[in-house]
Structures are given as structure tokens and as C-alpha cells.
Amino acid sequence: DGEGRFFIDRNGSMFELILEFLRRYSSSDKNADFAIHALPKTQMEAMREELNYYGLESAVFPPTPFRINVATFSQGSDMLLERGGLVAVVLPENRGVLVMGGHSG
């Protein structure tokens, strides 16, 4: 309006949880998102929509840095024979290499 106020026509009960998250998050509370994560699955989709509207979805549900199922398995032609059954996994976004397997002896 003319006085600089904004009217946001969104879900009030969801906003209450978002506001509580913001208050606790700003005071460095590690459990700031607890109430949101405790919502039943039936309400979680609506909450994600609200968080997305306010640009807060990634603050409450940060993206997973990487998952092993999205890594690329990379091995040389003789790697398994020459290196005792080791398998190298190159993690996404150059986050490193994970080596698995092997044997003693």
C-alpha cells in the first residue's frame, strides 16, 4: 500500500511454522526446522510449496551434497586383476574418489 506495507495471501498455519523456523534459525538453533520436518506427509507438500514461495525450501531441505548412486564408476581394464578387486568411484562435482573392495593377502 502507500505506507509500504505488504499483504501476503498465503496459508497462515504454514506461515506460523515458517516464522518460528526463521526466529530459531536466526538465533543459530540447530533444530530450527524440527517442527517443519515433523509435519505429516499429507501436509509436507503444501509446506514445501510455501517454503518455495518464500525462497526458503533449500534452507529447510538443503540439497544432498552427493549420493553414491549418482557417482560414476571408473576402472581401468586391468584394475580388478592388478589391484586386488578394488573399484574406484569418482564422486560428482570433483568431490573426490572413493575406493572400495580389495582383499587381505
Side-chain angles (χ1 to χ4, degrees), residues 57-68:
E57 187 171 9
S58 64
V60 177
F61 298 99
T64 305
F66 64 87
R67 292 185 184 155
I68 197 69

Side-chain angles (χ1 to χ4, degrees), residues 9-40:
D9 189 15
R10 302 298 291 184
N11 185 317
S13 60
M14 296 289 176
F15 184 73
E16 181 179 347
L17 293 173
I18 292 170
L19 186 58
E20 183 62 22
F21 163 75
L22 291 172
R23 288 178 179 143
R24 294 176 75 180
Y25 186 81
S26 67
S27 66
S28 301
D29 184 343
K30 293 181 181 179
N31 296 313
D33 58 2
F34 178 79
I36 293 173
H37 284 276
L39 286 172

Side-chain angles (χ1 to χ4, degrees), residues 1 9 20 38 40 44 46-47 51 57 59 61 63 73 76:
D1 69 7
D9 189 15
E20 183 62 22
M44 192 58 72
M47 175 53 80
L51 290 168
E57 187 171 9
F61 298 99
F73 286 82

